[in-house]
Amino acid sequence: IFGGASQIIFLQLFSAGASSLVILSSVGAVNSRHLLYGTVLSEHLSDLNLTWKIIVSYFLVDQAFAVSNDHFKKNNNDKDKHFHLLGGGLNCWTIWQITTLIGIYLGSIIPEKLGLSFAIPLTFLALLVNDFRKLINVIVIMTSGTVATLGYQIIPFKSYVIVAALIGLFMAIILTKLVKKNYE
């Protein structure tokens, strides 16, 4: 699996003896954010043939999306801009494979008390830093974070992340329309 959060969830559920259906649906739910990534990038990659779309989609990870989405916005007329996403994704994939191998060999040496579980949230936070420059983004991030935090114990089936993402998306649509309406 090429993805940090989904790999961790897969390993935890597999180790706990969860059924294949639970494992697949959990990994699918975690990776559902890629539907949003694909939707955002579809306008930039619509000219690609199916083979290229499949290849590029495999390398569409959080970090490559964050960097390439900015590049695509600034270089909208570039015909070969998909190579930016491919290069970013290949770079992430190579580092992922190398560090996974290192982790396999050195993982048993690192004491559990070091608590390396902070690494994944820290990665997502680093991806958000650029988005804190726009007020709309800050409002959407804060709304999603608040819903996820408050919904952790309240929202059934531990679907608080999905609910928070949907509410954040809805909030982004409303705020974007309000801003456009005010500028017209």
Side-chain angles (χ1 to χ4, degrees), residues 90-101:
L90 274 168
N91 189 26
C92 291
W93 184 86
T94 302
I95 291 168
W96 182 260
Q97 300 306 322
I98 292 168
T99 55
T100 297
L101 288 172

Side-chain angles (χ1 to χ4, degrees), residues 25-166:
S25 60
S26 298
V27 169
V30 167
N31 285 332
S32 65
R33 69 188 183 283
H34 293 279
L35 294 172
L36 298 173
Y37 295 165
T39 302
V40 169
L41 295 181
S42 66
E43 68 179 275
H44 301 289
L45 303 176
S46 61
D47 295 339
L48 292 180
N49 65 37
L50 181 62
T51 304
W52 268 112
K53 286 180 182 178
I54 291 170
I55 291 168
V56 169
S57 68
Y58 177 75
F59 295 104
L60 180 59
V61 293
D62 304 310
Q63 295 82 355
F65 169 79
V67 172
S68 293
N69 188 39
D70 268 354
H71 175 78
F72 289 174
K73 288 177 187 175
K74 294 174 185 170
N75 300 289
N76 199 25
N77 296 327
D78 183 7
K79 292 186 319 183
D80 296 325
K81 60 187 167 193
H82 63 283
F83 286 114
H84 190 277
L85 178 60
L86 182 64
L90 274 168
N91 189 26
C92 291
W93 184 86
T94 302
I95 291 168
W96 182 260
Q97 300 306 322
I98 292 168
T99 55
T100 297
L101 288 172
I102 291 170
I104 289 170
Y105 292 109
L106 298 180
S108 60
I109 298 171
I110 298 172
E112 191 70 34
K113 63 184 175 187
L114 281 181
L116 296 177
S117 59
F118 71 90
I120 291 175
L122 189 60
T123 300
F124 282 105
L125 185 61
L127 293 175
L128 290 175
V129 167
N130 196 34
D131 289 327
F132 284 116
R133 294 185 179 144
K134 293 183 180 176
L135 181 60
I136 289 177
N137 294 352
V138 171
I139 293 169
V140 169
I141 291 167
M142 296 303 289
T143 302
S144 298
T146 302
V147 170
T149 303
L150 296 175
Y152 179 74
Q153 296 293 332
I154 300 169
I155 298 174
F157 307 114
K158 300 290 184 191
S159 59
Y160 59 95
V161 173
I162 296 169
V163 172
L166 291 173

